[in-house]
Amino acid sequence: MTVHDKTIGKIRQLPESLVQEVSDFIDFLVWKHSSKDSSLWLDTEFLESVESDFSDYLSNLEDYENRLARGEIQW
């Protein structure tokens, strides 16, 4: 069995919400490793979210880490 076959088998076992995450990640990998011209087939909503939400993610992550360090929340 190839890695491709094993991966497809794993995806088939996931709930639909996680399959969407896998699909988004695949889109990201294709975009990252291909020319900008081939990114046209990607879901534009995904690309917009990558470009717009990343700064929010970083500030939220920093806030989370600070709150964790202060003991306000637990891991």
Side-chain angles (χ1 to χ4, degrees):
M1 184 177 274
T2 67
V3 172
H4 186 265
D5 294 333
K6 289 178 185 178
T7 303
I8 290 172
K10 290 176 184 179
I11 292 170
R12 287 189 174 133
Q13 295 176 7
L14 293 174
E16 190 65 29
S17 61
L18 294 180
V19 172
Q20 183 61 54
E21 285 188 49
V22 171
S23 178
D24 291 346
F25 185 66
I26 291 169
D27 288 345
F28 169 74
L29 290 175
V30 170
W31 173 77
K32 179 180 171 185
H33 294 284
S34 64
S35 70
K36 294 195 182 232
D37 292 339
S38 65
S39 69
L40 296 175
W41 68 269
L42 295 174
D43 183 1
T44 56
E45 183 179 322
F46 168 73
L47 291 177
E48 290 170 1
S49 70
V50 167
E51 293 171 355
S52 66
D53 292 342
F54 192 67
S55 62
D56 291 339
Y57 170 77
L58 290 177
S59 64
N60 289 339
L61 178 61
E62 184 177 0
D63 179 55
Y64 175 80
E65 289 175 342
N66 290 335
R67 292 179 65 204
L68 189 62
R70 290 190 302 264
E72 294 175 10
I73 56 176
Q74 294 184 11
W75 175 261

